Amino acid sequence: MTYDLAIIGGGPAGAAAGVYAARKKLRTILIADEFGGQSKVSTDIQNWIGTVSITGAQLAENLRAHMEAYRDDTLDIKEGEKVSSIEKTDGGFALKTENGEYYDAKMVLVATGSHRRKITVPGAEEFENKGITYCASCDGPLFKDKNIVVIGGGNAGFETAAQLLAYVKSVTLLDRGEKFRADQVTVERVLSKQNMKALHDIELLEVKGEKTVNAIVYKNTKTGEQTELPTEGVFVEIGQVPTTEFVKDLVNTNQHNQIIIDPRTQRTSQEGIWAAGDNTDVLYHQNNIAVGDAVRAVEDIYLHLHIK
């Protein structure tokens, strides 16, 4: 069987695309390792429009349930599978999964998102989601009136710090480099806040805690001096890794391996392949933005299939 559309990914973008494709009666297959995306691990999401507060686990359940409601005989859902490669064929594309399955589709929407680059020091795994978080937008309000640490001196790190200053008691930003990589105007603006400080030439050595984080240990790489800093939260902003490896030989990507798209249509450089969400080169990456981008893509895919 050849599907009209193959959607790859089960985060907000993939789920939104699945709902819209099913409603338009496109013969669709959705292939996802799991549902929910990066936010699945969040304990309290407060910026999902229309819902004041929801856990990441409940959001994942809701995304799947919404697709199931329109499933009928038009949408096939393959959960627990990852696409390992895509090949161009005369009729469209052949998708191979890590399970050794093959699927054919006329069009493809890549909505695999990205994953955060994580810290690997002692305590990092133990205290993930127990004080260590990789999503300021999701978890920032949970740290109201607390002293927290931000790891990362790029624009994302300083922008996270600026966002958190609206909630927290103080922010200490730590960066490995000799100088901050963020734009100078951003650095100056954020550092002008009284409850904000930042240190460079810093290597994170350990995250400590009991049930949750209560301190970090870091070293000044210039002097070798080690410091234990009490903190109730660690926000990590050391970059994202787009999940695009399986499609990089078919579509153009930028220096960050994000898929380059036409923001009007979500089309990639390869005819017949669209992309939406955190794996693309759009300026901002958020759940709500990913959903809108996926809807835009499906609208364009539908026209591409039915209007010649």
Side-chain angles (χ1 to χ4, degrees):
M1 152 182 281
T2 298
Y3 292 92
D4 292 325
L5 173 63
I7 300 168
I8 309 172
V19 170
Y20 268 71
R23 285 174 58 86
K24 291 179 178 296
K25 299 299 182 182
L26 297 179
R27 192 74 178 95
T28 302
I29 183 169
L30 186 144
I31 305 169
D33 180 38
E34 61 180 2
F35 289 95
Q38 290 186 53
S39 295
K40 185 176 181 179
V41 298
S42 296
T43 57
D44 187 14
I45 300 169
Q46 298 182 359
N47 63 343
W48 182 247
I49 301 302
T51 304
V52 175
S53 176
I54 188 171
T55 67
Q58 185 60 59
L59 175 61
E61 289 183 21
N62 290 357
L63 293 175
R64 199 186 201 293
H66 199 165
M67 284 189 297
E68 290 283 0
Y70 292 102
R71 190 170 186 172
D72 294 330
D73 58 350
T74 62
L75 175 63
D76 287 341
I77 299 174
K78 302 294 182 180
E79 188 174 1
E81 295 190 38
K82 288 184 179 180
V83 172
S84 58
S85 64
I86 303 177
E87 293 184 5
K88 187 78 176 71
T89 65
D90 291 340
F93 301 91
L95 291 76
K96 181 183 178 182
T97 71
E98 293 181 355
N99 298 351
E101 299 293 331
Y102 287 87
Y103 304 102
D104 295 314
K106 299 175 185 176
M107 309 290 172
V108 175
L109 172 59
V110 182
T112 44
S114 64
H115 51 280
R116 300 272 183 170
R117 184 173 284 111
K118 297 187 176 184
I119 55 175
T120 56
V121 299
E125 186 174 351
E126 179 183 356
F127 292 107
E128 186 169 336
N129 303 313
K130 298 176 182 177
I132 297 177
T133 176
Y134 293 83
C135 184
S137 298
C138 307
D139 300 329
L142 302 178
F143 292 81
K144 184 178 180 181
D145 297 327
K146 295 183 178 181
N147 298 302
I148 63 98
V149 167
V150 172
I151 306 295
N155 281 323
F158 275 89
E159 289 165 5
T160 289
Q163 181 179 344
L164 292 170
L165 286 168
Y167 313 111
V168 303
K169 186 176 180 179
S170 72
V171 175
T172 301
L173 182 145
L174 306 178
D175 184 45
R176 290 179 62 97
E178 293 185 1
K179 62 179 183 178
F180 302 122
R181 291 167 288 112
D183 298 332
Q184 187 61 32
V185 64
T186 301
V187 173
E188 292 175 357
R189 174 174 56 83
V190 177
L191 290 183
S192 69
K193 308 297 183 181
Q194 264 192 335
N195 54 342
M196 173 74 200
K197 70 176 181 179
L199 304 172
H200 51 72
D201 298 310
I202 297 298
E203 179 184 356
L204 181 66
L205 299 178
E206 185 180 359
V207 179
K208 292 185 171 183
E210 294 179 2
K211 291 184 178 180
T212 60
V213 169
N214 61 29
I216 63 166
V217 179
Y218 66 83
K219 178 178 73 174
N220 184 303
T221 57
K222 296 289 189 183
T223 66
E225 180 183 2
Q226 293 189 18
T227 302
E228 182 168 318
L229 176 67
T231 184
E232 296 170 275
V234 179
F235 285 77
V236 182
E237 288 291 353
I238 55 175
Q240 288 190 329
V241 182
T243 309
T244 58
E245 183 71 20
F246 64 94
V247 76
K248 68 176 185 177
D249 293 333
L250 277 178
V251 301
N252 290 340
T253 57
N254 64 14
Q255 68 270 29
H256 305 297
N257 293 319
Q258 297 168 325
I259 299 172
I260 299 171
I261 55 103
D262 177 351
R264 294 183 69 249
T265 62
Q266 305 295 133
R267 295 184 189 185
T268 71
S269 59
Q270 172 64 58
E271 179 75 14
I273 297 182
W274 285 252
D278 288 6
N279 55 4
T280 69
D281 66 336
V282 296
L283 184 56
Y284 301 111
H285 293 139
Q286 291 284 330
N287 283 344
N288 293 298
I289 294 171
V291 165
D293 288 352
V295 170
R296 181 187 296 113
V298 173
E299 294 287 359
D300 196 62
I301 290 166
Y302 182 83
L303 292 177
H304 199 75
L305 281 167
H306 293 285
I307 299 178
K308 302 298 183 181

